[in-house]
Amino acid sequence: MKKILLWSTALLRPSNLVSGFVFTLLILGIPFTIAHSDHEAFGSSEMKVVKSINNLSNELSNLETLAHVDTAMKQFLQRQGIIGASVGIVKDGQLIYAKGFGQTDEDTDLAVEPYHQFRIGSVSKLITATAVMKLYEEGKLKLEDKVFGKDGILKGGIYNKIKDKKIYDIEVRHLLNHTSGWSKRTYGDPLFIPHKIVEEMGGPAPPSLDTIIEFILSKPMPYRPGAYYDYSNFGYCLLGKVIESASGQGYEEYVKKEILSPLGINNMYLAKNLPTDRMENEVAYYDFSHNNMRKALDNSGEMVSTTYSFNIEALGAAGGWLATPTDLLKFMVAIDGFKNTPDILSNESLLTMIKPGHGSNRPYGWGGVTPDGTWWRTGTLAGTAAIMKRLDNGISWVVLANTTNRSSRYFNGKINYMMHQSLARMQEWPEQDLFALSYY
């Protein structure tokens, strides 16, 4: 049965399909090498595909060669007290493994399948940074463009209410690498203090992103732009506004049209605040931390789980996307620089994202990069843990979970160790490419 499965899925690869699938690849640019990789990368490319669907199931990854990954994940969930998780692994541009573990929702006891969606937290920043670089390539903005002021990208309305003149020196690249000059030490992360902002600014609860922006622009900025690194969700929320202004489209609309849809990713959305607004295939979220109740966003005084106590709709470009590991790996192989699949950005843009220059060693969108060609991005919210990693040997992987607890600050290190150990045990790699099942 295993051999039949491998043979049948191999027939579904885009290169072997004759009817029912249309794939047009236009490859531009010259091959180059990133870090110490033996995998050469291509420049900007276009890939025309038909609508993607959620057509994967756990049983497609029930392979003997990957059984030890199953075992490791089941043990990890049990030891860490995680309700549900989903994993995807890519080898040389092919999705060889996509599998869910645990439950989507304790109330329904529904098993996680590869098509179930999770909040991905700050992994969203990599999507936003890619959209900015796409606009850069289109000539619609420069990385050195001023964000505010009469010659800035954002002007008029609330952007005319700037108190600190240092704000006028912020450039797009400062938002990308968290050196804009704002600091959470001043008044906390503005995306996670909704009640304080409503109390000062008035208006309905929760505060809109425009209200949050107006609140921040009315405050002094502690640092000169470009001088200090201070991780900023707010800066990436502003990049969402930059994308809207430069493109003439809504943030979500532009990302879907120019980044996701060309890759066949048609089922990613921005998350909603309330559990009643969960998407059809979205998991529920659980936080088992010590202090896991907060005031509701609507200022009713009701206490709710921390997983639904923050304004993820305002967080949007900084941390609001829903995705599956398959979605994220489709996206990953389009910005990984390897020659196996065409990239959606040019060589120059890919290198700029991992090595920005301008005296900064902070990457754009990525959480970190190393000289040996390892790139990663993590995301954490109450009830959300996400990590995606690109290795220089052509292997990439994603793990998403719907649970946080007291030990969640160690989640990334533990899951990274578990995946490293599991992949090191691989003796034979499956030949199947489950990406093919995402198209029709």
Side-chain angles (χ1 to χ4, degrees):
M1 183 67 184
K2 181 182 69 174
K3 292 182 179 179
I4 294 174
L5 175 62
L6 292 177
W7 177 81
S8 61
T9 51
L11 283 180
L12 289 173
R13 293 178 195 163
S15 60
N16 294 332
L17 295 174
V18 177
S19 62
F21 292 73
V22 180
F23 290 86
T24 303
L25 303 182
L26 175 62
I27 300 178
L28 306 174
I30 300 173
F32 74 108
T33 301
I34 293 181
H36 301 294
S37 174
D38 292 329
H39 298 259
E40 293 179 332
F42 288 89
S44 179
S45 304
E46 294 180 4
M47 183 175 176
K48 296 181 180 178
V49 298
V50 286
K51 185 180 180 181
S52 68
I53 56 173
N54 293 322
N55 202 26
L56 298 179
S57 64
N58 285 336
E59 64 182 13
L60 294 175
S61 294
N62 287 341
L63 306 178
E64 183 179 344
T65 55
L66 289 161
H68 62 283
V69 179
D70 295 353
T71 301
M73 275 302 301
K74 290 173 183 177
Q75 292 176 346
F76 184 82
L77 263 64
Q78 183 177 18
R79 292 170 181 170
Q80 300 302 314
I82 294 172
I83 303 300
S86 192
V87 184
I89 302 172
V90 158
K91 177 72 165 67
D92 296 332
Q94 297 182 185
L95 180 66
I96 62 169
Y97 183 87
K99 202 166 193 180
F101 298 86
Q103 286 73 48
T104 65
D105 188 329
E106 280 192 312
D107 294 333
T108 63
D109 202 33
L110 183 66
V112 177
E113 292 281 350
Y115 53 78
H116 283 117
Q117 296 173 309
F118 292 69
R119 292 175 174 179
I120 63 172
S122 287
V123 173
S124 303
K125 291 180 174 67
L126 183 56
I127 297 168
T128 297
T130 301
V132 170
M133 297 307 297
K134 187 71 173 176
L135 288 166
Y136 163 76
E137 291 189 354
E138 294 169 352
K140 295 180 179 179
L141 60 75
K142 297 183 179 65
L143 301 182
E144 294 78 19
D145 281 346
K146 292 291 193 296
V147 176
F148 302 104
K150 64 179 181 178
D151 297 321
I153 297 173
L154 304 179
K155 48 183 176 287
I158 60 174
Y159 305 113
N160 288 338
K161 302 178 181 181
I162 292 174
K163 179 175 181 178
D164 193 323
K165 292 183 178 180
K166 291 195 295 296
I167 293 176
Y168 291 116
D169 293 327
I170 297 174
E171 299 174 3
V172 172
R173 61 189 177 96
H174 296 141
L175 299 179
L176 284 166
N177 65 8
H178 303 281
T179 60
S180 57
W182 284 298
S183 174
K184 295 183 293 296
R185 291 190 291 270
T186 307
Y187 30 71
D189 189 323
L191 275 301
F192 293 91
I193 53 171
H195 303 292
K196 179 178 180 179
I197 291 177
V198 168
E199 181 180 352
E200 181 169 331
M201 303 297 292
S208 66
L209 179 56
D210 282 349
T211 298
I212 296 171
I213 292 172
E214 188 174 0
F215 170 81
I216 295 298
L217 296 184
S218 69
K219 305 294 183 183
M221 191 168 66
Y223 305 124
R224 177 175 54 83
Y228 293 99
Y229 171 88
D230 199 310
Y231 190 85
S232 177
N233 286 310
F234 179 68
Y236 266 77
C237 288
L238 283 177
L239 283 174
K241 293 291 189 179
V242 166
I243 289 168
E244 292 183 339
S245 180
S247 69
Q249 302 175 50
Y251 166 75
E252 186 176 14
E253 178 187 6
Y254 180 82
V255 169
K256 286 183 175 181
K257 181 179 178 181
E258 302 297 334
I259 305 297
L260 303 179
S261 290
L263 301 175
I265 304 172
N266 293 302
N267 294 301
M268 281 181 60
Y269 307 94
L270 289 177
K272 301 297 183 181
N273 287 333
L274 302 178
T276 52
D277 293 327
R278 279 167 54 193
M279 293 293 178
E280 180 181 0
N281 289 324
E282 183 183 356
V283 300
Y285 304 98
Y286 301 91
D287 181 21
F288 299 123
S289 302
H290 174 67
N291 186 14
N292 61 359
M293 300 293 287
R294 295 283 190 278
K295 290 182 180 179
L297 281 169
D298 61 4
N299 270 358
S300 64
E302 180 185 1
M303 300 299 288
V304 299
S305 167
T306 49
T307 60
Y308 294 104
S309 68
F310 56 90
N311 192 350
I312 198 168
E313 293 176 25
L315 195 59
W321 282 99
L322 296 171
T324 67
T326 299
D327 292 330
L328 292 177
L329 285 167
K330 282 184 186 178
F331 172 64
M332 171 86 89
V333 299
I335 59 168
D336 64 4
F338 294 145
K339 68 180 180 181
N340 313 101
T341 53
D343 293 317
I344 58 174
L345 295 175
S346 68
N347 301 347
E348 176 193 6
S349 294
L350 292 175
L351 289 171
T352 297
M353 288 180 72
I354 65 169
K355 191 176 181 181
H358 299 285
S360 171
N361 61 353
R362 302 286 181 174
Y364 295 163
W366 292 100
V369 300
T370 61
D372 67 357
T374 300
W375 312 346
W376 71 90
R377 177 70 255 186
T378 61
T380 304
L381 296 167
T384 296
I387 180 169
M388 59 190 297
K389 195 165 189 179
R390 176 260 199 208
L391 305 175
D392 199 41
N393 58 5
I395 299 172
S396 296
W397 53 266
V398 171
V399 177
L400 306 177
N402 69 349
T403 309
T404 50
N405 50 45
R406 297 182 183 183
S407 64
S408 289
R409 64 182 179 273
Y410 305 115
F411 175 86
N412 292 332
K414 290 180 177 180
I415 199 70
N416 185 68
Y417 177 79
M418 186 276 290
M419 290 297 293
H420 175 77
Q421 294 293 104
S422 296
L423 294 174
R425 289 181 56 189
M426 292 297 299
Q427 299 294 320
E428 180 182 353
W429 292 92
E431 294 183 3
Q432 66 179 4
D433 184 5
L434 298 177
F435 276 145
L437 293 177
S438 299
Y439 303 102
Y440 71 86

